[in-house]
Structures are given as structure tokens and as C-alpha cells.
Amino acid sequence: MTTSPFTRRAVLASSAVLASTAALTACGGGSGGADTAEKIENPDENINPEGLPIVEEPVTITLMSRRAATSAEDWNQVSAAKEAQARTNIEVDWGLVAEEAAEERRNLLLTSGDYPEAFYRTGVPGGDLAKYGEQGVFVAMNDLIDQYMPNLTARLEESPALRTGLTFPDGNIYSLPGIYDPGTLGLRYQTKLWARQDWLDAAGMTAPETLEEYRAYLEEAKGAADGAIPLGGSGIGGIFTCLYGTFGIANKGTDAGAAVDLDPETQKVRYFPTSDGYREMLEFLHGLYADGLIQQDIYSSDFAAFTAAGTEGLLGSCAVQAPAGYFGEVGTKYVPLKPLVRSAGDEPAWHAVRSELSSIGNFVMTDNCEHPVEMARWMDFWYSEEGAKLFFLGVEGESYEEVDGRAELLPEVAEAASIDEGLRQHALFLGGWYPGWATGDWFRGVETSEQSTEAAKVVKPYALKEVWPAFTFTAEESQRITTLGNDITKYADEAVAAFITGERSLDEWDDHLATFEQIGLPDYVAAHQTAHDRRS
């Protein structure tokens, strides 16, 4: 675990803390802002200078936490939580709220002013981070990170894009990150395009590399089995993602924001669904759909139907992390495809690349925090190697063991009906939406399975070198972008579905672009350009 010297009276009355306190008074936030700032400036004598336990006498912190149905009903009974309490001396009132009610509950608490010390794993949107951060309701954590979170600081230094993506226009950090280890390929290159090797063999074909070859394979797959679905999915999104590089769009990765990238001609931010490349992608997909090569109910299907079709051996091609993780034994018959190119001789490009910053907004400290330094150090524990391993794997000897230098799940865990079932009473990551540090060393999901990792190696040589984390905006900008973005996204989704299914002709493309203009796309793009310029 990384540690650093700890000063009893840290110089934390910085402009960020003072500004937050002043904003709190002006905007009528909770009543604890000044007290929280004082506690940050003058840490309690109960706190140990460094290492563990964090405090000599037990301290209880209170959270509101989103609980997914896949996680344990009582997190304090999970072995990782019990072990963390024993190591840190920090007791946790998790304040669990069912995931379907978490957003409404969080909003009600914020409106009432009777909110907990922190919101945990509730996915606070960027607009709310800016709004409540500017008001002083959410604590600016810059100095807490620098003074009391050496493990997180080490992660930020390893990947500067993390700090870039966390920092708001006022220079403050209002939440802690979800981090994907840059070297864990299955997390960075998640969705890949797959084809059935046995169906390729039966047709006397090699793995397709061009769009023409891929179409030819799908035509063969159509007759490979009764009820065969040449190309299927639980939606069209994953298929889009795997074709972005082919058509030169999403050239800054898949986390930059709502369909924005950098125009290669103007070097300005663009909304890429209005680009020529996007139109060409829709033309290609419409052609497949018109000939019955794409699942005809793809816009009304769901994940259960998709996995059932895969398990029954009906899918010729799909876009997922790893087919074996969803289809069982049948899934082992698939091979990953290199990035498809439009014409033989073109340079392959893979744009389906995730940022190291997997999420923000899943740990937010409020001005009602009674134990800000203790809370910061407790959160920092989860960014250490020992804390992260505990979070994802549970306790050594209870749920996993070290085998030849690698953590391996015990048989009774690995052989459960699912990873979730096996780890429910041992690990805390279940249900996602976590602030933490995920790597293949301890994250056990389909993304880091052997099949997913080996497929990621296929696309890695062609992957983007620069990936944008999502942009951050001021509260005023966020409100405007949300309003515009909802209208733009709703129209875009409806139009794209109509273009692919043939309900609408691509001959109407100019009218389609004009509609975007009418509903405010120029202002939407301009706001993203402003955010981009702030980072430059």
C-alpha cells in the first residue's frame, strides 16, 4: 500500500475550500459546510499519521449507496467489508437503496438538505456535480486527494487523463474515479466483432477482413442452420461500435461524450452522426438489414433473447466482449475479427477504445461530512493494491488463493452458477458503478476472461492512441447541454433506426441534417468545443 507522511495541521484552507464555504452561505446548501472545512483543516487527533488502522478509536461514516440486485442484501456481512473494517477501524452505515429507487432518493435528499456524508455508487450526473459543487454542497476534493490519498494520487500520476476527466471548469474535483488499468486489454477494448469459426470452415472461408468479405460470410451464415441469424444483438449499439474505425468516426474513443469526436479536416469538435462516414455506415447496415442479414427485430429484442439465440447456436456474428461468457460452450466456437476495412489495402483502424476513466460521480462527499479526512483515507484504501484486491476478490483463503503468483477463485466460488453468485458474500464490486481501480489481476468478469483478452490482442495493434475522457461542464452549460442533448439523441435514435430498417430513405440525408440544425445541434457542438478548448 502506498503511503505518505501525514501532517496533523495540513494547509487545506485553500481557495477551493474557502470558495466552497462562501458558495454554501450564498446558495443555502446544508448546514455543515463551515464545520467540514474546519475538520479538513484541523484533522482529529484520533487519526493515525499513516498506514492502517486509519483511526485508533472506531469511527462510523454514513453513506447513501445504490444497491444492485446482484449484490448482497447487507454489505456489512460481506467478507470484504468486514475485513476492511478490521483493517481500517472505520465502520460504515452504507445506507443501501435499491438501484431502481436510488436516483429519486438521492435527488430528494439533496433537495431536503438532509443528505449523508457521501453518496456512494449512485452515479451522480456531471450536471449535478457542477451544480452542487459550485454551491458548496459537494466538497471540492483536490486538497484531500493531494494530502491524504497517496494511492489515488499514484493512479492519477500514472494516467494524467484521469485528472483531466475528473476536473471541472472551476478547477475542482467533486468525485472520485472508476479506473480501468491501461494495461488490462479486456477492459480497454471491450466490445469486439465475432464470427463462427465452424461456419467459416463449412463455407471454405477465412475470417473476413473487408466489408465485402464480411457480407459474403453473413450470406453463408444465413443458411448455416435452421433459424440462423447472420448478425444479431440485443441492440444495434455494439455493432456500431465495432464499425466506428472502419468508417472513420468516434476517432477519440467511446467515452468522449454523446457522439462527439474531432473532425479530421477542421480539427474541431464535431457531432459525428452528421458526418459522411456515419452516413456510409448506415448505408452498409441498411443493405444488410434489407437482405435479412441483420436480426430483423434487433430494435425490439432484449439481452435475454440475444443470449438465448447464441446459446442455441443461431448467431453467425455478434458484437460482445466474449461469446463464451454469454453462450456457454457454443461461445467457444467464435473467433474475433480484425477491424474491417472498406476496401482491400485500406489501413485497419479500431476506435472502440475505452478511457482509463471508466466513471465519475460514484463517490461524492457532501458538506454534511463529519469525518472528511477519515472518509478520504478510507476511500484511498480501496485504490491501494490490497484494498482493490479485497474489493474485487474478497478475503484470501475464503474466496480466492494465490496460485503461481496469480489470484485464483476457490472452486466453490468459481463453480457457482455465475461469478456474481459465487462472489456475492465475498466481494463488493458486484453491481458495478463503483469508484475503484480495476485490473485483470483481480477483476473477474467476462471482460477479462481469456477469450476477451486474446480477442483484445487482435484489435490492439490498430487501436487509437489518444482517447478522450468525457467532458465536464459548468452548471449552466450542463443544463443547456442536457436539454439540447435529450432532443438531439431522441431524434437521432429514431432517425437511425428508420434509416437502417428502410422506413426512411437515406436520400433524405440533407433534410435529416437540417433537422439537427433546427433542434439546436450548433449550440450543442459549440458547448463541447468550449469544453475541449479548456483542456487544450
Side-chain angles (χ1 to χ4, degrees):
M1 176 176 177
T2 307
T3 57
S4 68
F6 174 93
T7 54
R8 292 289 184 188
R9 185 178 178 85
V11 186
L12 289 177
S14 64
S15 58
V17 173
L18 294 175
S20 293
T21 305
L24 172 68
T25 303
C27 299
S31 61
D35 289 344
T36 298
E38 172 64 22
K39 289 181 173 69
I40 293 173
E41 184 182 356
N42 296 290
D44 195 289
E45 292 294 324
N46 185 42
I47 305 174
N48 282 322
E50 59 184 23
L52 299 175
I54 292 171
V55 290
E56 288 296 332
E57 296 298 323
V59 166
T60 299
I61 59 175
T62 62
L63 311 174
M64 181 205 137
S65 305
R66 166 192 164 275
R67 177 191 169 265
T70 53
S71 67
E73 292 185 9
D74 181 355
W75 289 3
N76 276 321
Q77 296 306 309
V78 174
S79 57
K82 290 190 285 187
E83 181 68 15
Q85 180 179 325
R87 295 190 198 183
T88 65
N89 227 5
I90 300 289
E91 299 175 353
V92 184
D93 179 352
W94 295 97
L96 298 177
V97 178
E99 58 183 332
E100 61 272 15
E103 181 180 1
E104 180 180 6
R105 178 64 175 164
R106 185 190 69 233
N107 291 338
L108 287 172
L109 291 175
L110 285 168
T111 301
S112 71
D114 186 23
Y115 39 78
E117 293 184 84
F119 291 101
Y120 186 66
R121 299 173 71 169
T122 71
V124 179
D128 282 355
L129 291 175
K131 171 185 173 181
Y132 291 110
E134 291 173 16
Q135 291 179 6
V137 173
F138 293 162
V139 174
M141 297 194 66
N142 308 47
D143 293 330
L144 284 168
I145 292 170
D146 292 342
Q147 291 287 334
Y148 303 118
M149 304 188 73
N151 296 300
L152 176 57
T153 296
R155 307 287 84 78
L156 299 182
E157 290 175 350
E158 291 167 0
S159 299
L162 296 173
R163 190 180 291 272
T164 297
L166 285 171
T167 304
F168 276 73
D170 61 5
N172 288 325
I173 294 174
Y174 295 113
S175 74
L176 300 183
I179 300 173
Y180 284 154
D181 174 62
T184 301
L185 302 184
L187 291 174
R188 297 296 308 286
Y189 315 122
Q190 290 197 11
T191 304
K192 282 83 66 177
L193 191 62
W194 303 81
R196 284 276 297 264
Q197 182 64 63
D198 55 337
W199 289 8
L200 285 166
D201 293 341
M205 305 175 76
T206 58
E209 297 186 0
T210 68
L211 292 177
E212 183 179 356
E213 291 170 352
Y214 183 61
R215 182 188 176 92
Y217 164 69
L218 295 180
E219 289 171 347
E220 292 291 335
K222 191 175 183 180
D226 290 340
I229 301 169
L231 173 58
S234 58
I236 202 77
I239 297 168
F240 277 9
T241 298
C242 292
L243 294 175
Y244 282 161
T246 306
F247 292 95
I249 52 182
N251 57 42
K252 294 300 176 183
T254 56
D255 288 333
V260 294
D261 68 357
L262 199 65
D263 190 313
E265 295 183 3
T266 66
Q267 294 301 298
K268 297 290 186 180
V269 173
R270 68 175 177 177
Y271 180 70
F272 64 74
T274 61
S275 67
D276 290 343
Y278 197 87
R279 184 185 189 280
E280 291 166 4
M281 181 179 72
L282 296 184
E283 286 180 328
F284 174 69
L285 292 173
H286 167 64
L288 297 184
Y289 189 92
D291 290 342
L293 302 180
I294 293 181
Q295 181 180 329
Q296 297 294 285
D297 64 347
I298 196 164
Y299 281 103
S300 60
S301 187
D302 59 21
F303 192 73
F306 166 64
T307 54
T311 303
E312 292 168 13
L314 300 178
L315 291 177
S317 182
C318 58
V320 292
Q321 297 96 328
Y326 301 107
F327 308 154
E329 181 64 27
V330 175
T332 64
K333 300 178 184 292
Y334 289 81
V335 291
L337 303 183
K338 288 172 54 179
L340 297 174
V341 295
R342 281 181 271 192
S343 301
D346 289 351
E347 185 66 26
W350 189 251
H351 291 180
V353 185
R354 295 292 309 273
S355 168
E356 301 101 306
L357 182 61
S358 64
S359 69
I360 66 172
N362 283 314
F363 176 87
V364 181
M365 186 183 293
T366 75
D367 65 297
N368 281 344
C369 189
E370 292 289 331
H371 307 286
V373 174
E374 295 94 320
M375 183 88 76
R377 293 203 61 217
W378 178 78
M379 276 303 305
D380 193 54
F381 169 71
W382 301 111
Y383 290 100
S384 70
E385 182 169 335
E386 60 181 305
K389 186 176 289 188
L390 189 65
F391 186 79
F392 287 100
L393 290 173
V395 178
E396 185 175 3
E398 294 185 25
S399 51
Y400 77 94
E401 60 185 349
E402 295 287 341
V403 179
D404 297 328
R406 175 176 167 79
E408 299 289 354
L409 297 178
L410 294 176
E412 58 268 30
V413 175
E415 295 169 10
S418 67
I419 290 292
D420 286 357
E421 182 67 30
L423 285 174
R424 181 172 288 118
Q425 294 302 323
H426 299 286
L428 285 167
F429 80 95
L430 300 171
W433 292 38
Y434 47 78
W437 173 32
T439 86
D441 292 336
W442 45 73
F443 180 82
R444 295 293 182 269
V446 66
E447 298 91 341
T448 57
S449 65
E450 182 178 1
Q451 188 184 45
S452 176
T453 300
E454 291 304 310
K457 292 177 182 178
V458 172
V459 300
K460 181 179 183 295
Y462 315 102
L464 292 169
K465 298 299 185 282
E466 180 187 4
V467 176
W468 283 347
F471 290 116
T472 55
F473 303 93
T474 66
E476 183 178 357
E477 289 170 343
S478 293
Q479 185 174 11
R480 178 67 173 151
I481 287 169
T482 299
T483 301
L484 289 171
N486 287 340
D487 292 341
I488 290 167
T489 301
K490 181 176 185 295
Y491 170 70
D493 288 347
E494 292 173 352
V496 164
F499 284 136
I500 289 177
T501 60
E503 294 178 14
R504 187 172 177 184
S505 171
L506 282 162
D507 292 339
E508 301 174 26
W509 188 253
D510 288 343
D511 292 339
H512 174 60
L513 299 185
T515 302
F516 276 123
E517 296 285 317
Q518 293 166 10
I519 59 180
L521 184 61
D523 289 344
Y524 181 83
V525 172
H528 284 80
Q529 183 66 53
T530 297
H532 174 60
D533 291 343
R534 278 195 294 256
R535 289 183 176 177
S536 302

